């Protein structure tokens, strides 16, 4: 049973005339009759009683036509719904991103996507870059935001605004720092208490490199899971921390914290929007990526 056969049977149920339906459909009467016979054979019942002129529906035929109309209607609705998904009127946008970057980067993107595509549901998977790279390569997201490096043999990667790293210090700890024009030599920070993230995280690895280049072992007073917690502890005056300036700009800044640029050190991180090569890209996913990469 196929859609064409169902449509032929529905048309015949309206006129009960093979010749009239054949003319309407632009096919020969024998071809129409053959299609109806194939349908009846497959179903194992007679739908039309041909002993009458015009033909009449059998009880099985009446049941079939009633349900076939509902089936065709649902198929039409399905095609319309899928067309809305294709056009972006409806859908599901799945984004992989780290929790701290989600906090400052994603809210405006989600707002603009929802404004343009109100039928789209946005789902955020907030995890670390290593997992994001792996799962993006498996096609689990429409796209993810991760730091370099990425495997560009598997992933399509587009850069966005680089992270600029700054030193955030509670004002109560600033008195001993020899700062000049908002800049400080990191070697002069050896006596500061530091709040850091875990050793397996990229930001911690950058921090360790900073300390090594400044030739000192840091006084780590707190180790936390993520930058959001590090910022909170700095906000509470526990210690200084290194974090992206973009994160600070996207949060409610605390006047009790001073930000310093690190003198003679140009440490940045390059985030990328990545997705599996060849993966289908919906209109709303493309719009979100454009917002991220073009900084709109």
């Amino acid at each position: 049973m196929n859609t064409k056969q169902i449509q032929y049977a529905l048309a015949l149920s309206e006129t009960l005339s093979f010749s009239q339906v054949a003319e309407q459909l632009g096919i020969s009467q024998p071809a129409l009759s053959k299609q109806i016979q194939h349908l009846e054979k497959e179903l194992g019942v007679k739908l039309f009683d041909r002993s009458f002129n015009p033909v009449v529906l059998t009880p099985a035929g009446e049941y079939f036509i009633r349900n076939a109309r509902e089936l065709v209607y649902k198929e039409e609705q399905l095609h319309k719904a899928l067309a809305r998904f294709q056009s972006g009127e409806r859908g599901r946008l799945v984004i992989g991103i780290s929790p701290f970057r989600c906090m400052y980067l994603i809210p405006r993107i989600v707002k603009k996507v929802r404004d343009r595509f109100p039928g789209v549901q946005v789902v955020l998977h907030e995890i670390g870059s290593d997992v994001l790279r792996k799962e993006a390569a498996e096609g689990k997201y429409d796209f993810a935001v991760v730091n370099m490096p990425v495997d560009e043999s598997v992933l399509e990667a587009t850069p966005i605004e680089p992270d600029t790293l700054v030193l955030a210090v509670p004002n109560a700890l600033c008195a001993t720092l020899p700062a000049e024009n908002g800049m400080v030599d990191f070697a002069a920070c050896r006596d500061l208490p530091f709040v850091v993230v875990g050793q397996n995280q990229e930001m911690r690895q950058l921090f360790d490199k900073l300390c090594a280049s400044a030739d000192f072992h840091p006084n780590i007073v707190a180790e936390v899971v993520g930058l959001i917690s590090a910022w909170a502890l700095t906000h509470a005056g526990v210690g200084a921390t290194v974090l992206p300036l973009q994160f600070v700009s996207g949060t409610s800044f605390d006047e009790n914290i001073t930000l310093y640029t690190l003198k003679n050190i140009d440490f940045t991180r390059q985030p990328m929007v990545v997705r599996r090569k060849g993966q289908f890209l919906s209109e709303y996913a493309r719009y979100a990526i454009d917002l991220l990469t073009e900084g709109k």
Side-chain angles (χ1 to χ4, degrees):
M1 180 174 63
N2 56 49
T3 301
K4 183 180 291 185
Q5 291 172 334
I6 294 173
Q7 291 173 338
Y8 287 171
L10 287 172
L12 185 57
S13 73
E14 296 292 333
T15 66
L16 300 175
S17 168
F18 278 89
S19 60
Q20 187 175 339
V21 171
E23 184 178 354
Q24 290 174 350
L25 297 175
I27 61 175
S28 68
Q29 185 172 331
L32 172 62
S33 180
K34 188 174 182 179
Q35 288 290 336
I36 297 298
Q37 288 172 359
H38 283 323
L39 178 60
E40 290 176 325
K41 183 177 180 181
E42 183 177 348
L43 295 173
V45 294
K46 287 291 183 181
L47 302 177
F48 299 92
D49 188 344
R50 295 165 179 78
S51 64
F52 294 87
N53 188 17
V55 298
V56 296
L57 283 164
T58 65
E62 291 177 352
Y63 180 84
F64 174 84
I65 292 299
R66 184 167 60 251
N67 286 277
R69 286 197 183 101
E70 183 68 15
L71 183 63
V72 170
Y73 170 78
K74 289 182 177 179
E75 184 180 16
E76 291 173 348
Q77 295 305 304
L78 177 60
H79 282 296
K80 290 179 180 178
L82 291 176
R84 290 198 295 272
F85 277 100
Q86 187 177 23
S87 67
E89 292 179 28
R90 297 187 63 184
R92 191 167 182 260
L93 176 61
V94 183
I95 302 172
I97 193 164
S98 62
F100 93 90
R101 189 166 277 136
C102 179
M103 187 172 181
Y104 74 85
L105 190 61
I106 290 299
R108 71 175 185 87
I109 302 298
V110 173
K111 178 64 168 61
K112 289 188 175 184
V113 169
R114 290 279 304 145
D115 286 345
R116 183 163 175 176
F117 304 100
V120 170
Q121 178 192 36
V122 180
V123 180
L124 302 175
H125 288 257
E126 300 176 55
I127 44 180
S129 283
D130 287 343
V131 177
L132 289 173
R133 292 187 191 95
K134 175 180 177 294
E135 295 191 344
E138 295 170 353
K140 292 188 177 181
Y141 317 117
D142 288 284
F143 65 85
V145 180
V146 301
N147 297 316
M148 286 287 283
V150 298
D151 184 355
E152 295 191 51
S153 68
V154 179
L155 296 168
E156 291 186 18
T158 307
I160 60 176
E161 180 186 7
D163 290 336
T164 301
L165 302 186
V166 295
L167 177 68
V169 184
N171 288 347
L173 300 176
C174 292
T176 60
L177 287 179
E180 182 179 350
N181 298 322
M183 301 183 68
V184 66
D185 188 334
F186 197 63
C189 302
R190 64 179 65 248
D191 294 326
L192 282 178
F194 283 101
V195 178
V196 298
V197 295
Q199 293 184 348
N200 63 330
Q201 297 189 47
E202 294 169 352
M203 184 59 70
R204 174 61 179 275
Q205 293 160 12
L206 287 174
F207 174 79
D208 290 344
K209 288 180 181 178
L210 279 173
C211 295
S213 65
D215 194 27
F216 72 83
H217 295 287
N219 173 25
I220 297 174
V221 295
E223 182 176 291
V224 297
V225 172
L227 287 175
I228 296 173
S229 297
W231 176 251
L233 291 183
T234 300
H235 178 278
V238 174
T241 195
V242 175
L243 75 175
L245 177 62
Q246 287 85 345
F247 170 81
V248 179
S249 301
T251 61
S252 297
F253 187 70
D254 189 336
E255 294 182 354
N256 295 319
I257 294 175
T258 300
L259 300 180
Y260 295 98
T261 302
L262 299 176
K263 190 181 298 183
N264 300 324
I265 296 176
D266 184 23
F267 272 84
T268 60
R269 297 194 310 174
Q270 179 58 66
M272 310 286 284
V273 175
V274 299
R275 65 187 187 91
R276 181 173 177 167
K277 284 191 172 180
Q279 184 175 346
F280 170 75
L281 188 64
S282 65
E283 185 179 349
Y284 44 84
R286 187 181 302 278
Y287 177 62
I289 291 173
D290 287 345
L291 290 172
L292 283 165
T293 57
E294 296 174 13
K296 295 180 180 178

